[in-house]
Amino acid sequence: MATIKDVAKSAGVSIATVSRVLNGSANVKQATRDAIQRTIQELNYMPNALARGLQKKQSKTIGVLFPDATSYYFAEIIRGINTCIQQAGYRIVVSSAHDAADEANVFLSLWKSQQVSGMIVMMPSTHNATIFNSTQRSIPLILLNTAITDGADITITIDNYQGAKEITKHLIEHGHQAIGFIHGAPNNHDSEERYRGYQDALNEGNLTRSSHLEFHGNFTENSGYRAVISLLNQSEKPTAIFAANDAMAIGAVEAARQLSLQVPQDIAIVGFDDISTARYINPPLTTMNVPVLEIGEMAGNHLIRLLEDNRQVVTREITVPVHLVVRESCGCPKEK
Amino acid sequence: MATIKDVAKSAGVSIATVSRVLNGSANVKQATRDAIQRTIQELNYMPNALARGLQKKQSKTIGVLFPDATSYYFAEIIRGINTCIQQAGYRIVVSSAHDAADEANVFLSLWKSQQVSGMIVMMPSTHNATIFNSTQRSIPLILLNTAITDGADITITIDNYQGAKEITKHLIEHGHQAIGFIHGAPNNHDSEERYRGYQDALNEGNLTRSSHLEFHGNFTENSGYRAVISLLNQSEKPTAIFAANDAMAIGAVEAARQLSLQVPQDIAIVGFDDISTARYINPPLTTMNVPVLEIGEMAGNHLIRLLEDNRQVVTREITVPVHLVVRESCGCPKEK
DNA sequence: ATAAAAAATGTAAACGTTTACATTAAAACA
DNA sequence: TGTTTTAATGTAAACGTTTACATTTTTTAT
């Protein structure tokens, strides 16, 4: 593999000059520049990213850290990040963490080994706030959808609270009085915020909440299924259910069918996320749409700006609005 | 950020000794080793991956290259790869390419800049075979699902041909005589192989094929939709349709409904991939299941072996079997 | 034509590691 | 005890770049 030395020798100049044309320095004669360019082509030379990174102290690589499970958001966010990152000459290294402890490890090792110039971390679990301490961190960090509002340069959070409130209100407008809630995984920030929204919507609608109307799931379809079985197996039955995500809502619909209940006539069910499956199930699921791709793009763009302009790092919190997608599972009439 | 020098000074030894404990060399006194370990902890030291990679000529990073669009396979394959790769101390850098030219660029730049010690490339487009020339390539390469059988160390391909044949035969067994086919994107290897399987199944079933029964889509739901509209708008109508992937099959089902045709009574529709949505649509889609996660794991494992054992690189072609998932869109009765 | 200023190029140190080789310390043997 | 063998540590070069500084070449002004 050709090195800068080979190019220099072959072009009859010093490596410094080659380096200068590589980095677009102004002070090099056009003729020399051309000759070197030609040699580079001939030798098929490409600078060693490791050597360059070592010298310049930056790897042109950004780390993306995900919780293990979340395969739904995953692909789209990566795709969003990649679009902007790639054309700025950066690469993405992805890692996933099994649990909070693992997350800290991966984060630290990525950072301390200087493998990344910046990081985008998605961490909906509410533990672990301290790792991101900005006083000792030297690279820009963007936190996605996390409970932590401090320590990162930018946090991007979807508006779980408003979204949940809105969709719950929608159910209230349908006349429901007993609205159930299926929690997501414990200690999950998204789930907690959605719960807050749900509660406040009930309060503002003067409905009393009751723990009999709640079930603790874990975001999986199966837990949504179990939730409905359990909720409807008691005297105080909900007439509508808001599941903290679509997967659970889908499981809930399944369970309702199993119990020979019509959705939405006998029980209305809504979710959150607007995953691609949501519009295909029967009945099509009313849910809150989360602009996942855009979130990825936003994160990528902001990080690039932080990295390139290395301007004043202003801690900023961005809240991404979500929007209600009315389909049929809430009781609204079919579209066309 | 602490360097090996800081550790050496602080522990009162030379950097060579520190390096030795870092790399687990046998020749270092236990007492010294302990002292150094302690210092490492204290200083929170972690070796600079760039410097190490530069010196060792390997980055402990593996490149994963995807075509831009394929967001379905994407997430699962990454996840599969990541599981094995991560515990072997490697990282994944993902890149996507818009088109074949771009693909070549990304491949070459990743490789030539020594950013990766190995690559996993997914390239279903049939162009571009030459870049992977193994004679001038120095890093292990695994090709996923590609037309190219030469140049890579290992190729992993899903058994499109057999799968397509099997599902087509299934339609034939239902008594269908006029079975339509919806092609995927042009020059796509998966699509072509599935077409081959379809053809051979027809032949073996003594059915004549007809270009009137074929439509050229591009793997999107929308193209499946248009396919059905077009196929059913002619005199020679199919009674069953095999779409080269599930997305198109779903579009096809949609279109059938639009035309007030019952699936499967009026027209049977089957797909390929078994994407998560397949079982939720109405009627649930009969399709071929592709073990995507397993393919990712397989690729990761093989690459690690290639990298670590650096044993004889034997060119191997692995074909991954797929299996028929019978649901209702083919005309089979409901399960339970 | 000559001196001064500006532009182009070269030299060498640095980035943080690993490792071959040289040196010193400890253990084994006589 | 002194010699030889073995184990532990140190020295310094190398990996492929970038860049401050020194040097040479070219241009401009006189």
Side-chain angles (χ1 to χ4, degrees):
Chain A
M1 198 90 65
T3 75
I4 199 176
K5 255 184 211 161
D6 302 321
V7 175
K9 191 184 300 175
S10 177
V13 296
S14 76
I15 60 169
T17 309
V18 178
S19 179
R20 273 186 276 260
V21 345
L22 250 30
N23 294 59
S25 156
N27 289 341
V28 38
K29 197 159 59 177
Q30 191 58 42
T32 324
R33 185 186 302 276
D34 293 345
I36 292 177
Q37 297 280 25
R38 225 173 305 119
T39 317
I40 288 176
Q41 296 293 332
E42 269 166 28
L43 298 187
N44 230 302
Y45 166 76
M46 200 163 280
N48 181 317
L50 267 41
R52 183 177 267 186
L54 174 60
Q55 158 66 33
K56 287 224 194 164
K57 289 167 173 299
Q58 57 132 319
S59 56
K60 282 268 180 186
T61 295
I62 76 123
V64 178
L65 180 50
F66 272 89
D68 206 17
T70 327
S71 85
Y72 160 57
Y73 283 160
F74 186 88
E76 283 298 277
I77 291 204
I78 294 274
R79 221 153 65 86
I81 297 175
N82 215 35
T83 50
C84 24
I85 233 98
Q86 200 153 335
Q87 68 198 33
Y90 285 78
R91 302 243 116 89
I92 288 182
V93 359
V94 302
S95 295
S96 61
H98 307 304
D99 50 37
D102 198 23
E103 196 150 56
N105 283 340
V106 177
F107 175 79
L108 287 174
S109 83
L110 233 34
W111 162 40
K112 289 256 169 176
S113 64
Q114 337 256 285
Q115 274 177 107
V116 299
S117 332
M119 285 194 82
I120 297 176
V121 175
M122 174 145 181
M123 210 187 65
S125 130
T126 50
H127 302 308
N128 239 228
T130 49
I131 351 165
F132 302 118
N133 200 321
S134 58
T135 56
Q136 49 176 13
R137 178 171 42 80
S138 47
I139 57 171
L141 169 67
I142 294 187
L143 247 31
L144 253 37
N145 236 37
T146 172
I148 305 164
T149 57
D150 197 44
D153 300 300
I154 296 181
T155 60
I156 302 181
T157 331
I158 66 184
D159 200 346
N160 289 304
Y161 173 77
Q162 283 298 341
K165 201 162 163 184
E166 185 176 349
I167 202 165
T168 308
K169 281 194 167 163
H170 183 79
L171 289 174
I172 296 176
E173 282 162 13
H174 271 287
H176 292 285
Q177 306 267 347
I179 301 176
F181 181 78
I182 311 179
H183 290 265
N187 297 315
N188 179 287
H189 183 240
D190 292 318
S191 178
E192 290 176 357
E193 285 296 294
R194 289 169 194 180
Y195 181 54
R196 266 187 55 225
Y198 157 80
Q199 288 181 304
D200 284 7
L202 292 193
N203 286 340
E204 293 179 15
N206 293 313
L207 297 179
T208 56
R209 8 184 218 102
S210 148
S211 62
H212 292 96
L213 294 175
E214 295 176 22
F215 183 90
H216 288 267
N218 61 1
F219 284 137
T220 64
E221 198 178 313
N222 189 32
S223 72
Y225 184 96
R226 291 198 311 274
V228 165
I229 301 292
S230 144
L231 286 173
L232 298 183
N233 230 347
Q234 40 177 27
S235 50
E236 193 180 344
K237 292 184 177 59
T239 61
I241 292 182
F242 168 31
N245 77 344
D246 283 355
M248 294 194 298
I250 289 172
V253 169
E254 195 88 358
R257 175 159 324 143
Q258 208 87 118
L259 298 176
S260 306
L261 294 172
Q262 296 268 29
V263 179
Q265 293 82 352
D266 299 327
I267 183 158
I269 295 177
V270 301
F272 205 116
D273 280 349
D274 196 19
I275 65 178
S276 57
T277 306
R279 48 182 285 239
Y280 294 111
I281 68 163
N282 184 8
L285 190 67
T286 292
T287 185
M288 298 303 303
N289 176 273
V290 177
V292 187
L293 187 67
E294 286 81 351
I295 291 176
E297 287 174 350
M298 198 182 286
N301 277 323
H302 276 105
L303 191 55
I304 293 292
R305 197 158 320 151
L306 245 35
L307 249 18
E308 300 283 289
D309 299 6
N310 70 338
R311 65 172 58 160
Q312 220 75 328
V313 169
V314 192
T315 299
R316 268 181 63 194
E317 302 177 19
I318 300 174
T319 302
V320 180
V322 293
H323 73 269
L324 181 64
V325 179
V326 175
R327 287 195 273 250
E328 299 166 33
S329 70
C330 57
C332 282
K334 198 168 196 159
E335 270 278 298
K336 42 172 188 294
Chain B
M1 199 89 65
T3 76
I4 198 177
K5 254 183 212 164
D6 302 321
V7 176
K9 191 184 302 176
S10 178
V13 296
S14 76
I15 60 169
T17 307
V18 177
S19 179
R20 274 187 275 262
V21 344
L22 249 29
N23 293 295
S25 158
N27 288 341
V28 38
K29 195 157 60 177
Q30 191 58 42
T32 325
R33 184 186 304 277
D34 292 345
I36 293 178
Q37 298 281 26
R38 224 173 307 119
T39 318
I40 288 177
Q41 296 292 333
E42 269 166 27
L43 299 186
N44 229 301
Y45 165 76
M46 201 163 282
N48 181 317
L50 268 41
R52 181 177 267 186
L54 175 60
Q55 158 67 33
K56 287 225 195 165
K57 288 167 173 299
Q58 55 130 323
S59 56
K60 283 271 181 181
T61 295
I62 77 124
V64 179
L65 180 50
F66 272 89
D68 206 18
T70 327
S71 82
Y72 161 57
Y73 283 159
F74 187 88
E76 283 298 278
I77 292 205
I78 294 274
R79 221 154 63 88
I81 296 175
N82 215 35
T83 49
C84 23
I85 234 94
Q86 200 153 335
Q87 67 199 36
Y90 284 78
R91 303 242 117 91
I92 288 182
V93 359
V94 301
S95 295
S96 61
H98 307 304
D99 50 37
D102 199 24
E103 197 151 56
N105 283 341
V106 177
F107 176 78
L108 287 174
S109 82
L110 232 35
W111 164 38
K112 291 254 168 178
S113 64
Q114 338 256 284
Q115 276 178 106
V116 299
S117 336
M119 284 194 81
I120 297 177
V121 175
M122 174 145 185
M123 210 187 62
S125 131
T126 52
H127 302 308
N128 240 231
T130 50
I131 353 166
F132 302 117
N133 200 320
S134 57
T135 57
Q136 48 176 13
R137 179 171 43 78
S138 47
I139 57 172
L141 169 67
I142 294 187
L143 248 29
L144 253 38
N145 237 36
T146 172
I148 305 164
T149 56
D150 198 41
D153 300 299
I154 297 181
T155 60
I156 303 181
T157 330
I158 64 184
D159 200 347
N160 290 303
Y161 173 77
Q162 283 299 342
K165 202 161 161 183
E166 185 176 350
I167 203 166
T168 308
K169 281 193 168 165
H170 183 80
L171 289 174
I172 296 176
E173 283 163 10
H174 271 287
H176 293 283
Q177 306 269 346
I179 301 176
F181 181 79
I182 311 179
H183 290 264
N187 296 315
N188 180 287
H189 183 240
D190 292 319
S191 178
E192 289 175 0
E193 287 294 294
R194 289 169 194 181
Y195 181 53
R196 268 186 56 225
Y198 159 79
Q199 287 181 304
D200 284 7
L202 292 193
N203 286 339
E204 293 180 15
N206 292 312
L207 298 179
T208 57
R209 9 185 216 101
S210 149
S211 62
H212 292 97
L213 294 176
E214 295 176 19
F215 182 90
H216 287 267
N218 62 0
F219 284 137
T220 64
E221 197 176 314
N222 190 30
S223 73
Y225 185 95
R226 292 197 311 274
V228 164
I229 301 292
S230 145
L231 286 173
L232 297 182
N233 229 347
Q234 42 176 26
S235 51
E236 194 180 344
K237 293 184 175 63
T239 61
I241 291 180
F242 168 32
N245 79 344
D246 282 354
M248 295 194 299
I250 289 172
V253 169
E254 196 87 358
R257 175 160 324 145
Q258 208 85 119
L259 298 175
S260 305
L261 294 172
Q262 296 266 31
V263 180
Q265 293 83 350
D266 301 326
I267 184 159
I269 295 176
V270 301
F272 205 115
D273 280 350
D274 195 19
I275 65 177
S276 58
T277 306
R279 49 182 286 237
Y280 294 110
I281 68 163
N282 184 12
L285 189 67
T286 293
T287 186
M288 298 301 305
N289 176 273
V290 177
V292 186
L293 188 67
E294 285 81 351
I295 292 176
E297 286 174 351
M298 200 182 286
N301 277 323
H302 277 105
L303 192 54
I304 293 294
R305 198 158 320 152
L306 245 35
L307 250 19
E308 299 285 288
D309 298 6
N310 71 336
R311 64 169 61 158
Q312 221 75 328
V313 170
V314 192
T315 299
R316 270 183 62 193
E317 301 176 20
I318 301 174
T319 303
V320 179
V322 294
H323 74 269
L324 180 64
V325 180
V326 175
R327 287 195 272 250
E328 298 166 35
S329 70
C330 57
C332 280
K334 197 167 196 159
E335 272 278 299
K336 45 173 186 295

